[in-house]
Amino acid sequence: MSDEISREHQRLIIEKLYRSGDSITSTDHFNKKYASSIGHMGESSMDVHDFARKMKGTEFSSYDVERFTKSITGKNIDLEKL
């Protein structure tokens, strides 16, 4: 199993975090808010640990980020241990 999260999976996770039905719009909104501090998401694959570190710098709960990441990618991350 790869240790990367695809851009499509990143977009789906962000869509779920915003409780939206549109991953493109959700990702655009996310990037407008966070790109200056954590960089752009949903544009290319990235290491699962880099993804977790970036998501820790957002307003979303660790529980939701971990849960949606697991349900979409099958990968376990633990934001509290970073």
Side-chain angles (χ1 to χ4, degrees):
M1 182 183 290
S2 173
D3 285 282
E4 289 196 345
I5 295 182
S6 71
R7 68 183 189 167
E8 293 83 8
H9 283 161
Q10 292 171 47
R11 289 178 181 168
L12 290 172
I13 293 165
I14 292 168
E15 175 185 338
K16 290 221 180 247
L17 289 168
Y18 278 110
R19 310 223 188 296
S20 168
D22 180 0
S23 64
I24 302 289
T25 302
S26 297
T27 303
D28 286 345
H29 179 71
F30 181 92
N31 283 331
K32 283 179 186 169
K33 185 167 186 174
Y34 294 108
S36 64
S37 60
I38 65 171
H40 286 273
M41 301 289 269
E43 293 182 352
S44 62
S45 294
M46 72 174 57
D47 181 79
V48 68
H49 298 295
D50 291 338
F51 175 79
R53 276 196 274 311
K54 287 182 175 194
M55 293 306 289
K56 188 171 181 171
T58 68
E59 68 186 22
F60 299 104
S61 77
S62 296
Y63 174 77
D64 283 342
V65 173
E66 292 168 4
R67 178 171 58 113
F68 295 142
T69 301
K70 175 68 175 174
S71 70
I72 291 169
T73 68
K75 298 177 189 326
N76 288 313
I77 60 173
D78 188 348
L79 273 61
E80 301 307 316
K81 288 188 177 181
L82 295 176

